[in-house]
Amino acid sequence: MATETATLGGGCFWCLEAVYQELKGVLQVESGYAGGHVPDPTYEQVCEGATGHAEVVRVTFNPELVSYRDILEIFFTIHDPTTPNRQGNDVGTQYRSVIFYHTPEQHEIARQVIAAMAHVWDAPIVTELSRAQEYFKAEDYHQNYFRQHPLQGYCAFVVAPKVAKFRKVFADRLNAPE
């Protein structure tokens, strides 16, 4: 089976991870850091904002079951791509909206989706489009965070509404319950 990888930043990685884990055709979702200049950064370093990294998810998917275009359309539905370096109360460059493309084809699809989404949002889209850079897996306690801590405050008030929106808008694309 052929697989592809998408690397996306759209605020806190817990939100994106929780949504993509429920998408049919997704094989793995991992939280991490990309787009910075410090090797193997820690969460604390990234949160300080001096490493240049964004919190991202690396999504491994089966393109026969879900397309890269679908992945991006969901991305633009579950976060606000019009706020630079911010998602809600999460503020800083680590929360920027960014697509790290892995192939020229992904770059072109991302450009097309951004152009199409410009007609959906009332403000200009500020999502960065960059070639995939070195990726660093986040600490183990960040992996599967929403699944492990659904009642934690941030998860209950920030992540859960995004997951609920995804489930409602993309009900036909959900994985079968485990």
Side-chain angles (χ1 to χ4, degrees), residues 89-109:
N89 290 328
D90 293 333
V91 179
T93 57
Q94 68 271 27
Y95 301 117
R96 67 189 180 271
S97 178
V98 59
I99 299 168
F100 291 105
Y101 61 89
H102 293 265
T103 65
E105 293 79 20
Q106 283 189 352
H107 180 251
E108 182 55 31
I109 291 167

Side-chain angles (χ1 to χ4, degrees), residues 101-163:
Y101 61 89
H102 293 265
T103 65
E105 293 79 20
Q106 283 189 352
H107 180 251
E108 182 55 31
I109 291 167
R111 286 176 15 85
Q112 293 169 8
V113 173
I114 289 170
M117 290 295 161
H119 303 290
V120 174
W121 290 90
D122 292 335
I125 290 178
V126 297
T127 303
E128 294 175 18
L129 184 55
S130 299
R131 178 176 289 128
Q133 301 175 20
E134 192 167 11
Y135 164 87
F136 301 95
K137 181 181 176 183
E139 295 81 355
D140 287 344
Y141 68 91
H142 287 297
Q143 309 304 322
N144 299 303
Y145 197 85
F146 180 68
R147 285 183 175 173
Q148 294 177 22
H149 308 281
L151 301 178
Q152 185 261 3
Y154 187 91
C155 289
F157 293 104
V158 178
V159 183
K162 290 184 181 203
V163 172

